[in-house]
Amino acid sequence: SEDVLNGAIVVDGDKLVLSYMRDVKSVLVIHDLKTGKLIHQIKTPVGTTTDIRGRREDKEFFFFFVSFLTPGTIYRYNFEIEDEEERLTVFREAEIKNFDNTKFETKQVFYESKDGTNIPMFITHKKGLVLDGNNPTYLYGYGGFNISLQPAYSPSFIVFIQHLGGVVAEANLRGGGEYGEEWHQAGTVHNKQNVFDDFQYAAKYLIKENYTKASRLAIHGGSNGGLLVAACVNQAPELFGAAIADVGVLDMLRFHKFTIGHAWQSDYGFPDDKAEDFNTLLKYSPLHNVRKGKPYPALTLFTSDHDDR
């Protein structure tokens, strides 16, 4: 199994509650603590479960849930209720004025990257969206340091899809932690180009499936994601209409010389110590691969005071 274990608690004496990430979505299961036998999988909506709370002597536990369309719900699971299907109830729920999330939808798709690897991507938009290739679309990615991009609520995403008719796509690129350490390693050092390919093929999928066209597609990422955006703009400027790179790591030959940069060599490589790492980094380093002769999309590079990057 490629499920990633995120948390575990023991409640109701001998019930082991485990939280997994399965295809980037949270799954909650209950096992018998003594035998390990699966008792029940809790039916939760598609999204991210965090902060599972309960004590061994309790007959109940609580957890927090968030999704692209839900800012936060606390659920209660009560073992004292006989019917398993009725044990899960909403305890507290954040409400947003003037936003009816039933008018919107999130779906998960899997698209093929350059080398045939299946990459998951979440797409959120208004229900009944017309796939005419003309929707303004925002594509976000990170792809590094074993960090998983699970569903999360963003007010700016909601403004974009509710008031501007936009499509928000979040691609789960290699280099992240979505499928464990193997997935992470598949996007590091000499495999880093996989991450850029995954992002470019996400853009190609959105265009091919008529969500949008290149001139209506914006990409965004920060830090390692800023590197992602800048590298992809160098490699395939024709795929994007606009690009925003926040606090990107843009000089891949000198990133390790400043502040905390030396700690990033685990993902990027050792340009001063290993010739093969230097050569790999030089091939994609955004600063060293600015291209003449091909028009770039509209591009904004942001930095910040006290920026490590």
Side-chain angles (χ1 to χ4, degrees):
S1 170
E2 291 184 316
D3 294 359
V4 179
L5 181 65
N6 282 339
I9 62 167
V10 177
V11 286
D12 194 27
D14 60 354
K15 306 294 192 308
L16 177 63
V17 182
L18 300 175
S19 172
Y20 287 101
M21 178 170 52
R22 179 178 298 160
D23 285 331
V24 205
K25 304 178 293 288
S26 289
V27 176
L28 277 179
V29 291
I30 301 170
H31 288 257
D32 184 288
L33 181 63
K34 294 187 181 71
T35 66
K37 184 186 172 193
L38 174 66
I39 298 171
H40 183 56
Q41 179 174 326
I42 300 169
K43 287 182 180 173
T44 54
V46 173
T48 306
T49 296
T50 59
D51 295 318
I52 308 169
R53 294 285 184 265
R55 294 169 299 193
R56 190 162 187 167
E57 61 268 25
D58 293 338
K59 295 285 184 185
E60 63 185 6
F61 68 91
F62 298 83
F63 62 89
F64 184 76
F65 173 85
V66 66
S67 73
F68 291 109
L69 298 172
T70 318
T73 305
I74 298 173
Y75 283 96
R76 176 190 189 190
Y77 190 88
N78 187 352
F79 285 100
E80 291 186 311
I81 295 172
E82 285 296 315
D83 188 343
E84 276 183 354
E85 301 298 321
E86 293 178 8
R87 288 177 178 174
L88 186 66
T89 54
V90 172
F91 182 70
R92 289 262 171 86
E93 193 168 21
E95 291 181 14
I96 309 162
K97 288 179 182 176
N98 305 318
F99 177 61
D100 177 3
N101 66 6
T102 63
K103 293 180 179 176
F104 304 86
E105 64 180 324
T106 295
K107 59 186 165 194
Q108 187 183 44
V109 300
F110 291 83
Y111 64 91
E112 271 195 22
S113 188
K114 185 177 181 179
D115 64 358
T117 301
N118 271 337
I119 311 296
M121 176 163 63
F122 291 105
I123 305 174
T124 304
H125 52 72
K126 278 183 180 172
K127 285 180 179 172
L129 180 82
V130 179
L131 298 180
D132 59 1
N134 204 38
N135 299 296
T137 299
Y138 167 96
L139 172 61
Y140 184 80
Y142 186 78
F145 296 93
N146 205 27
I147 291 169
S148 303
L149 290 187
Q150 289 188 265
Y153 183 81
S154 161
S156 57
F157 284 4
I158 297 303
V159 168
F160 183 56
I161 64 174
Q162 182 175 13
H163 299 296
L164 301 173
V167 175
V168 170
E170 191 171 275
N172 297 104
L173 317 170
R174 281 174 285 186
E178 285 87 351
Y179 293 102
E181 184 57 21
E182 197 177 328
W183 190 256
H184 169 219
Q185 292 298 332
T188 64
V189 195
H190 303 295
N191 297 322
K192 189 66 179 173
Q193 183 59 42
N194 286 338
V195 187
F196 311 140
D197 291 340
D198 292 354
F199 204 49
Q200 291 165 39
Y201 275 71
K204 289 177 181 180
Y205 176 90
L206 292 166
I207 294 165
K208 179 171 69 79
E209 296 296 323
N210 274 332
Y211 282 95
T212 193
K213 56 189 175 187
S215 62
R216 301 279 274 165
L217 177 62
I219 55 171
H220 182 204
S223 188
N224 175 72
L227 159 63
L228 169 73
V229 166
C232 287
V233 163
N234 276 340
Q235 292 178 8
E238 71 283 352
L239 279 179
F240 318 110
I244 302 164
D246 289 334
V247 294
V249 187
L250 304 182
D251 181 348
M252 299 311 295
L253 304 184
R254 298 173 77 234
F255 72 89
H256 58 298
K257 295 182 182 293
F258 309 101
T259 64
I260 195 64
H262 60 88
W264 309 335
Q265 292 177 112
S266 57
D267 256 50
Y268 297 146
F270 296 81
D272 280 355
D273 304 327
K274 297 181 181 179
E276 63 271 29
D277 290 5
F278 180 95
N279 291 330
T280 294
L281 289 162
L282 184 59
K283 283 177 189 168
Y284 71 76
S285 176
L287 183 66
H288 301 90
N289 287 279
V290 176
R291 296 166 64 169
K292 289 181 181 178
K294 267 202 171 186
Y296 274 65
L299 174 64
T300 307
L301 306 177
F302 284 102
T303 188
S304 59
D305 187 21
H306 292 75
D307 171 28
D308 275 349
R309 272 73 46 165

